[in-house]
């Protein structure tokens, strides 16, 4: 029952995030590009959970008390809901900076996208590195109560790592395609 409820919460979180970005960007297109980074985070979250179980298995084989295998429980599912809010931040940085460059400096969309990736890659890696380093002790080191939140930490850690890397590739590509399609549609209509 909890899994079914959290699945609906996951969809609700996606919808609220999309609608909030649509209101802030005053567009339905730009948030759609940003929301495509969420599945990358989900894949990373599942990979993080799988790697955690491999890590726990290795600890058991060398004789370290590692706890039980981490399953997809309620707290781990909550990690996916948290991941939605954190994964979109990197994509928002790229899209927002690109839109600012197009509006303020009248840059071509493709040039603006490249310039925004160049200027935002450092903040993206800095925030990802600090979050990963902050979550690593929760995931990697056993301790009192660590079994409870270890799955949540693994999901968020894996999701952030994968999404940070692929956001720098996928979001600029999708944003460029969206801008090209928008220009074609406007040319056909106007």
């Amino acid at each position: 029952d909890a899994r079914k409820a959290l699945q609906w919460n996951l969809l609700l979180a996606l919808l609220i995030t999309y609608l909030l970005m649509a209101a802030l960007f005053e567009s339905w297109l730009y948030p759609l590009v940003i929301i495509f980074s969420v599945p990358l985070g989900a894949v990373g979250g599942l990979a993080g959970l799988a790697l955690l179980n491999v890590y726990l298995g290795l600890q058991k084989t060398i004789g370290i008390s590692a706890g039980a295998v981490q399953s997809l429980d309620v707290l781990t599912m909550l990690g996916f809901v948290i991941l939605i809010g954190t994964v979109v931040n990197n994509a928002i940085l790229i899209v927002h900076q690109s839109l600012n460059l197009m509006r303020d400096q009248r840059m071509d969309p493709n040039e603006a996208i490249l310039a925004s990736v160049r200027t935002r890659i450092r903040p993206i890696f800095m925030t990802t590195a600090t979050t990963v380093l902050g979550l690593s002790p929760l995931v990697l080191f056993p301790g009192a109560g660590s079994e409870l939140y270890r799955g949540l930490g693994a999901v968020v850690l894996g999701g952030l790592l994968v999404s940070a890397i692929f956001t720098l590739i996928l979001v600029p590509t999708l944003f460029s395609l969206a801008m090209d399609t928008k220009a074609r549609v406007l040319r056909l209509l106007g």
Side-chain angles (χ1 to χ4, degrees):
D1 290 337
R3 284 186 184 173
K4 287 181 183 177
L6 279 174
Q7 287 172 351
W8 288 110
N9 288 348
L10 190 68
L11 291 174
L12 185 62
L14 271 172
L15 180 66
I16 290 171
T17 303
Y18 177 77
L19 292 174
L20 180 66
M21 286 188 298
L24 292 173
F25 280 110
E26 297 177 356
S27 170
W28 295 102
L29 178 65
Y30 308 137
L32 192 62
V33 171
I34 293 168
I35 213 77
F36 271 109
S37 62
V38 172
L40 296 172
V43 168
L46 290 173
L49 195 59
L51 287 174
L52 173 64
N53 286 327
V54 169
Y55 175 71
L56 293 175
L58 288 174
Q59 280 188 332
K60 280 185 182 180
T61 58
I62 61 172
I64 299 174
S65 173
V69 172
Q70 184 64 49
S71 63
L72 197 60
D73 59 3
V74 174
L75 283 175
T76 306
M77 295 275 293
L78 185 62
F80 286 101
V81 175
I82 294 169
L83 201 57
I84 291 173
T86 55
V87 161
V88 297
N89 292 338
N90 296 337
I92 289 171
L93 284 174
I94 293 172
V95 170
H96 186 262
Q97 181 68 18
S98 298
L99 291 172
N100 284 344
L101 291 173
M102 284 184 270
R103 184 186 63 239
D104 297 341
Q105 298 181 10
R106 305 280 185 224
M107 290 179 83
D108 177 66
N110 289 330
E111 291 175 23
I113 293 168
L114 287 174
S116 69
V117 170
R118 241 181 273 121
T119 59
R120 294 297 178 208
I121 193 168
R122 188 169 156 192
I124 287 171
F125 280 140
M126 286 171 46
T127 56
T128 301
T130 56
T131 307
V132 165
L133 292 174
L135 279 173
S136 294
L138 175 69
V139 176
L140 298 177
F141 301 121
S146 67
E147 297 87 12
L148 187 61
Y149 295 106
R150 187 178 269 178
L152 183 139
V155 166
V156 174
L157 186 118
L160 283 176
L161 276 174
V162 169
S163 72
I165 293 167
F166 284 107
T167 295
L168 294 171
I169 298 166
L170 181 72
V171 170
T173 305
L174 286 176
F175 192 46
S176 177
L177 289 171
M179 295 305 288
D180 290 346
T181 305
K182 180 181 174 183
R184 282 189 205 116
V185 168
L186 289 176
R187 264 187 268 131
L188 287 174
L189 295 175

